Coordinates of all heavy atoms in Angstrom, one line a residue:
I115 N 60.2 19.1 -68.2 CA 60.9 17.8 -68.3 C 60.3 16.9 -67.3 O 60.8 16.6 -66.2 CB 62.4 18.0 -68.1 CG1 63.0 18.9 -69.1 CG2 63.1 16.6 -68.1 CD1 64.5 19.2 -69.0
D117 N 59.1 13.8 -68.5 CA 59.0 12.5 -69.2 C 60.3 11.6 -68.9 O 61.2 12.0 -68.1 CB 58.8 12.7 -70.7 CG 59.9 13.6 -71.3 OD1 60.7 14.1 -70.5 OD2 59.8 13.7 -72.5
V118 N 60.3 10.4 -69.5 CA 61.4 9.5 -69.5 C 61.8 9.2 -70.9 O 61.0 8.7 -71.7 CB 61.1 8.2 -68.8 CG1 62.3 7.3 -68.7 CG2 60.5 8.5 -67.4
I119 N 63.0 9.6 -71.4 CA 63.4 9.4 -72.7 C 64.7 8.6 -72.7 O 65.4 8.6 -71.8 CB 63.6 10.7 -73.5 CG1 64.7 11.5 -73.0 CG2 62.3 11.5 -73.5 CD1 65.1 12.7 -73.9
E121 N 68.4 8.1 -73.7 CA 69.5 9.0 -73.9 C 70.8 8.1 -74.0 O 70.8 7.0 -73.4 CB 69.7 10.0 -72.7 CG 70.8 11.1 -73.0 CD 70.9 12.0 -71.8 OE1 70.0 12.0 -70.9 OE2 71.8 12.8 -71.8
G124 N 72.3 6.0 -70.9 CA 71.4 5.8 -69.8 C 70.1 6.6 -70.0 O 69.7 6.9 -71.1
A125 N 69.6 7.0 -68.8 CA 68.3 7.7 -68.9 C 68.1 8.5 -67.6 O 68.5 8.1 -66.5 CB 67.1 6.8 -69.1
L126 N 67.5 9.7 -67.8 CA 67.0 10.5 -66.7 C 65.6 10.2 -66.5 O 64.8 10.5 -67.4 CB 67.3 12.0 -66.9 CG 66.8 13.0 -65.8 CD1 67.5 12.7 -64.5 CD2 67.0 14.4 -66.2
I127 N 65.1 9.7 -65.4 CA 63.8 9.3 -65.1 C 63.1 10.4 -64.3 O 63.6 10.8 -63.2 CB 63.7 8.0 -64.4 CG1 64.3 6.9 -65.3 CG2 62.3 7.6 -64.0 CD1 64.6 5.6 -64.5
C128 N 62.0 10.9 -64.7 CA 61.2 11.8 -63.9 C 60.0 11.0 -63.4 O 59.2 10.4 -64.1 CB 60.7 13.0 -64.7 SG 59.6 14.1 -63.7
L180 N 63.7 13.4 -59.5 CA 64.5 12.9 -60.7 C 65.4 11.7 -60.3 O 65.9 11.7 -59.1 CB 65.3 14.0 -61.2 CG 64.5 15.2 -61.8 CD1 65.5 16.4 -62.0 CD2 63.9 14.9 -63.1
Y181 N 65.5 10.8 -61.2 CA 66.3 9.6 -60.9 C 67.2 9.4 -62.2 O 66.7 9.4 -63.3 CB 65.4 8.4 -60.7 CG 64.4 8.7 -59.6 CD1 63.2 9.3 -59.9 CD2 64.6 8.3 -58.3 CE1 62.2 9.6 -58.9 CE2 63.7 8.5 -57.3 CZ 62.5 9.2 -57.6 OH 61.6 9.5 -56.6
L182 N 68.5 9.0 -61.9 CA 69.4 8.9 -63.0 C 70.0 7.5 -63.0 O 70.4 7.0 -61.9 CB 70.5 9.9 -62.9 CG 71.6 10.0 -64.0 CD1 71.0 10.4 -65.4 CD2 72.7 10.9 -63.7
V183 N 70.1 6.9 -64.2 CA 70.7 5.5 -64.3 C 71.5 5.4 -65.5 O 71.2 6.0 -66.6 CB 69.6 4.4 -64.3 CG1 68.6 4.7 -65.4 CG2 70.2 3.1 -64.4
L201 N 75.0 12.5 -68.6 CA 75.3 11.3 -69.3 C 76.2 11.5 -70.6 O 76.8 10.5 -71.0 CB 74.0 10.5 -69.7 CG 73.2 9.9 -68.5 CD1 71.8 9.6 -69.0 CD2 73.9 8.7 -68.0
F236 N 70.6 18.1 -63.1 CA 70.8 17.0 -64.1 C 70.7 17.6 -65.5 O 69.7 18.2 -65.8 CB 69.7 15.9 -63.9 CG 69.7 15.3 -62.5 CD1 69.1 15.9 -61.4 CD2 70.3 14.1 -62.4 CE1 69.2 15.3 -60.2 CE2 70.4 13.4 -61.1 CZ 69.8 14.1 -60.0
L237 N 71.7 17.3 -66.3 CA 71.8 17.8 -67.7 C 71.4 16.7 -68.6 O 71.9 15.6 -68.5 CB 73.2 18.3 -68.0 CG 73.7 19.4 -67.0 CD1 75.1 19.8 -67.5 CD2 72.8 20.6 -67.0
R238 N 70.4 17.0 -69.5 CA 69.9 15.9 -70.4 C 70.1 16.3 -71.8 O 69.6 17.4 -72.2 CB 68.4 15.7 -70.1 CG 67.8 14.6 -70.9 CD 66.4 14.3 -70.5 NE 65.4 15.2 -71.2 CZ 64.1 15.0 -71.2 NH1 63.6 13.9 -70.5 NH2 63.2 15.8 -71.8
A256 N 66.2 19.8 -63.7 CA 66.7 19.2 -65.0 C 66.8 20.3 -66.0 O 65.9 21.2 -66.1 CB 65.8 18.0 -65.4
Y257 N 67.8 20.2 -66.9 CA 68.0 21.1 -68.0 C 68.3 20.3 -69.3 O 69.1 19.4 -69.3 CB 69.1 22.0 -67.7 CG 69.4 23.0 -68.9 CD1 68.7 24.2 -68.9 CD2 70.3 22.8 -69.9 CE1 68.9 25.2 -69.9 CE2 70.5 23.7 -70.9 CZ 69.8 24.9 -70.9 OH 70.0 25.8 -71.9

Side-chain angles (χ1 to χ4, degrees):
I115 300 176
D117 55 357
V118 183
I119 68 170
E121 188 179 351
L126 178 62
I127 297 168
C128 178
L180 297 166
Y181 307 83
L182 183 66
V183 57
L201 290 163
F236 298 83
L237 306 179
R238 179 175 88 166
Y257 180 86

